[in-house]
Amino acid sequence: MSLSDKKVYLTRPIPEAGQNMLQQAFPLFKYNPDDDYVLSRDELLTAVKGMDGIVSLLTDKMDAEVMDAAGPQLKVIANYAVGYDNIDTRAATERGILVTNTPGVLTDATADFAWALLMATARRISESERFSRALKYKAWGPKLLLGGDFVGRTLGIIGAGRIGAAFAKRSVGWNMRILYTDEMVNQELENELGAKKVDLDTLLAQSDYVSIHVPLLPSTHHLINAESLRKMKKTAYLVNTSRGPVVDEAALAQALKEKVIAGAGLDVYEKEPEIHADLLDLENVVIAPHIASATLDTRDKMATMAASNCIAVLSGKKPENLVNAEAWK
Ligand code: DGY
């Protein structure tokens, strides 16, 4: 069977750079054309039927049922994201389906955005804007909208992989003390920034700013909960650009309401796109709609990477960004 006989389905439009590659490689390429519409379960099960490849988004739950609905010819699920917690990789491996992701290309954009959120949260930018737009700014004031300082403060990084490390490196201008948690020692971070690997409790107790950069796994689900929030300084700020369920959102809302911590900057949510109603009413939280990787270049690179992964597998080649290496034979 040549490439031109392969059927590929894209669950929602991705930037043209990648979508055109799919369109050109696969005459039988199909996609859901609606940018904002996530297919219902039934629609997804119907759409993938007979496909050799699926390019999925993080909003698509790709489990055994979807794989079986596609059929035994399904060879690849190319996720348009670095995170792949939406995919049951074990079920894929059992069926000989290769799963790919888009690592590396979104590291800088995501680390930049984590800083943007941290700054916005600690310097109360969103709150200031709401205040100003509501014409509440009557006079310059010595106590108006006071926030946190950065120089010389302690930055706690939960997960010092690619994105966590890039986030840490951006702190150099503020001469911060860096603490991190990770399974592995990040020697480069220790050498370059004097970063110190500590346990989570120490990080929470000593950091002025805590930023989360771990994947969603059973072991990281609700890693930040009511108990861990109480271990943080009352003056500390929390930022999450990883995955929503790493934080117990109800516990966070409660902690923010009771000023257990000073504030939080969130890009991700437990039941996305739903946002816990209590968070919406709070001033000390900055809320963004999962846009940490949303720059023009980054999204183009994610698109070409996902398309290349899909094309490689269906050409019989090992894709560059294979997640379940054990499925490659
Ligand atoms: C990812 O890639 O996992 C992000 O959450 C979206 O870019």
Side-chain angles (χ1 to χ4, degrees):
M1 207 196 240
S2 78
L3 254 200
S4 61
D5 299 320
K6 304 284 187 196
K7 293 184 180 156
V8 168
Y9 189 75
L10 167 66
T11 60
R12 243 183 314 147
I14 56 175
E16 275 176 21
Q19 192 158 324
N20 288 346
M21 283 169 67
L22 294 169
Q23 220 132 19
Q24 277 157 22
F26 307 107
L28 300 175
F29 170 70
K30 284 193 180 154
Y31 69 104
N32 158 25
D34 196 333
D35 278 320
D36 302 324
Y37 182 70
V38 180
L39 296 178
S40 70
R41 186 73 182 166
D42 282 348
E43 287 166 336
L44 180 64
L45 292 173
T46 306
V48 299
K49 204 170 169 21
M51 294 295 149
D52 300 285
I54 301 171
V55 180
S56 55
L57 271 58
L58 56 84
T59 41
D60 307 309
K61 188 171 184 316
M62 306 300 290
D63 56 11
E65 191 186 11
V66 175
M67 298 172 199
D68 292 340
Q73 76 298 326
L74 182 65
K75 288 284 168 298
V76 58
I77 299 174
N79 215 34
Y80 177 77
V82 65
Y84 49 88
D85 47 281
N86 58 311
I87 303 176
D88 184 342
T89 49
R90 191 198 297 197
T93 302
E94 280 166 9
R95 289 161 179 75
I97 299 165
L98 303 183
V99 175
T100 67
N101 68 341
T102 62
V105 291
L106 47 77
T107 299
D108 286 327
T110 306
D112 288 346
F113 194 78
W115 269 103
L117 262 187
L118 185 52
M119 289 278 175
T121 307
R123 297 304 307 271
R124 304 172 66 176
I125 306 278
S126 305
E127 194 184 345
S128 294
E129 173 142 11
R130 285 191 292 273
F131 176 86
S132 306
R133 285 181 189 270
L135 304 179
K136 290 184 184 163
Y137 180 37
K138 302 295 181 205
W140 182 88
K143 294 185 185 169
L144 182 61
L145 289 159
L146 304 182
D149 291 282
F150 293 98
V151 173
R153 300 307 199 265
T154 299
L155 187 61
I157 295 163
I158 301 180
R162 272 183 302 258
I163 299 172
F167 175 79
K169 287 180 187 173
R170 282 156 170 73
S171 72
V172 167
W174 291 281
N175 194 25
M176 297 176 90
R177 172 178 173 238
I178 311 288
L179 302 178
Y180 71 96
T181 62
D182 204 285
E183 283 172 7
M184 320 268 281
V185 170
N186 188 325
Q187 204 55 58
E188 191 188 333
L189 223 48
E190 301 209 352
N191 295 345
E192 276 183 28
L193 303 180
K196 196 168 159 212
K197 181 173 178 310
V198 292
D199 60 38
L200 183 61
D201 282 359
T202 305
L203 181 142
L204 294 172
Q206 296 189 10
S207 299
D208 299 297
Y209 301 99
V210 174
S211 189
I212 306 173
H213 300 282
V214 286
L216 176 60
L217 301 166
S219 59
T220 60
H221 183 263
H222 284 191
L223 184 67
I224 299 299
N225 50 39
E227 201 188 333
S228 41
L229 288 161
R230 276 195 301 274
K231 291 178 180 157
M232 290 175 67
K233 295 181 183 181
K234 268 190 162 4
T235 48
Y237 295 87
L238 177 74
V239 164
N240 189 12
T241 51
S242 63
R243 283 292 183 266
V246 174
V247 176
D248 178 340
E249 214 165 272
L252 175 63
Q254 193 61 28
L256 289 168
K257 214 184 289 180
E258 293 170 3
K259 306 277 167 56
V260 171
I261 62 170
L266 304 175
D267 189 42
V268 288
Y269 306 90
E270 265 201 273
K271 295 182 186 148
E272 246 169 87
E274 227 178 88
I275 299 172
H276 196 288
D278 291 353
L279 289 174
L280 298 173
D281 292 333
L282 293 170
E283 286 290 7
N284 55 347
V285 56
V286 175
I287 294 176
H290 202 152
I291 54 166
S293 71
T295 71
L296 292 165
D297 274 5
T298 299
R299 289 289 166 87
D300 274 356
K301 286 178 184 154
M302 288 168 66
T304 54
M305 199 175 230
S308 302
N309 286 327
C310 180
I311 293 167
V313 175
L314 295 183
S315 310
K317 296 185 194 130
K318 188 172 181 181
E320 268 188 41
N321 314 107
L322 184 57
V323 162
N324 55 344
E326 60 282 11
W328 174 257
K329 287 184 194 109

